[in-house]
Amino acid sequence: MKRVLIDDRLLIEELTVGIGIEGVAYATSMYWYFRACRAAVLGAGGHLSGPFERIGTTRQARAIEQLLRLRDDISLPEPRAAVSTMVGVASRHPRLNLLNIEATAAALDIADVVWLSPKASEGVLPAVLDAEGVRWRVHHIDEPSGPDDVG
């Protein structure tokens, strides 16, 4: 089964609507998970909290509950291993912020490929992933996906 690291926007998409690709095990970073939870609970209609405001109140409550009690089939990095990897990433990329350090470490430790939302792909992370030899791709939320779409 392909292990795919998804960013905060894609995590929210998976929990509100579903990305739904067979043969894929999703994971996310702790920081992306925190940002998604913060947006769901405290958000004000921005890029991360907007999807929760666009669904009905019953689905919204269920999605927020699913997010706060992250499904067992969405994994997170193990903190002890992640910190060690993060130190290595930070030493190779000293100007990188904590979000990107942790995302890169998670990609190195627990993922076969990283899916970034279009917005995340516009930042510095793609170049860092390339430098670290991590496979990644942009996953457009509104694009249909199939079983071969995990690379």
Side-chain angles (χ1 to χ4, degrees):
M1 184 171 289
K2 200 67 116 161
R3 295 169 300 163
V4 177
L5 186 73
I6 55 177
D7 69 18
D8 41 14
R9 288 172 181 85
L10 296 174
L11 176 62
I12 289 170
E13 178 72 10
E14 171 60 20
L15 295 175
T16 57
V17 186
I19 299 172
I21 297 179
E22 294 289 323
V24 171
Y26 295 115
T28 195
S29 75
M30 294 291 292
Y31 205 116
W32 279 335
Y33 177 48
F34 165 72
R35 284 173 35 114
C37 287
R38 182 182 65 188
V41 174
L42 304 173
H47 289 289
L48 291 177
S49 61
F52 291 97
E53 294 181 350
R54 290 191 288 272
I55 59 177
T57 55
T58 301
R59 281 186 56 215
Q60 181 184 52
R62 187 170 42 246
I64 291 171
E65 183 179 331
Q66 280 186 326
L67 188 58
L68 293 173
R69 297 180 188 186
L70 191 61
R71 296 185 333 222
D72 289 339
D73 65 327
I74 300 174
S75 60
L76 293 166
E78 193 282 313
R80 291 177 194 266
V83 168
S84 176
T85 306
M86 288 170 69
V87 170
V89 170
S91 70
R92 292 185 297 277
H93 307 277
R95 295 179 186 240
L96 205 56
N97 69 23
L98 181 58
L99 179 145
N100 290 315
I101 290 170
E102 199 242 349
T104 303
L108 290 166
D109 285 349
I110 64 172
D112 297 315
V113 63
V114 177
W115 286 355
L116 298 174
S117 60
K119 182 74 172 167
S121 72
E122 296 170 2
V124 299
L125 189 55
V128 173
L129 294 174
D130 286 342
E132 292 291 324
V134 173
R135 290 179 43 221
W136 68 275
R137 73 181 234 12
V138 178
H139 183 82
H140 296 275
I141 292 172
D142 58 351
E143 76 182 9
S145 300
D148 296 328
D149 195 29
V150 293

